[in-house]
């Protein structure tokens, strides 16, 4: 993600920190999720009977920029 934020900053004339904040601000949580949060969510989803791939929102609540 650091590389992505650095490249975005170069394209937009901002800093990598500003690019990271702009990206994370579009998420439902207003921040990036941590590895342990992803792991806990995965374990919880694997325990759900009848769950299929179509049920999983891979956007993590991200809102497309307007």
């Amino acid at each position: 993600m650091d590389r992505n934020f650095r490249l975005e900053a170069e394209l937009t004339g901002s800093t990598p920190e500003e690019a990271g904040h702009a990206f994370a601000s579009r998420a439902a949580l207003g921040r990036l999720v941590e590895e342990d949060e992803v792991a806990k969510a995965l374990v919880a989803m694997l325990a759900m009977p009848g769950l299929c791939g179509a049920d999983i929102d891979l956007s993590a609540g991200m809102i497309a920029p307007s």
Side-chain angles (χ1 to χ4, degrees):
M1 292 304 294
D2 290 338
R3 180 178 142 287
N4 293 338
F5 296 149
R6 181 180 49 78
L7 294 173
E8 179 70 18
E10 290 173 7
L11 290 172
T12 61
S14 64
T15 67
E17 292 77 18
E18 291 169 332
H21 177 70
F23 180 80
S25 70
R26 296 192 312 263
L29 294 174
R31 63 176 177 82
L32 299 179
V33 293
E34 302 291 330
E35 291 90 350
D36 65 316
E37 294 172 311
V38 174
K40 288 175 187 175
L42 179 61
V43 169
M45 287 188 286
L46 290 173
M48 295 176 182
L51 182 72
C52 71
D55 297 322
I56 302 171
D57 178 12
L58 299 178
S59 72
M62 293 296 290
I63 302 165
S66 49

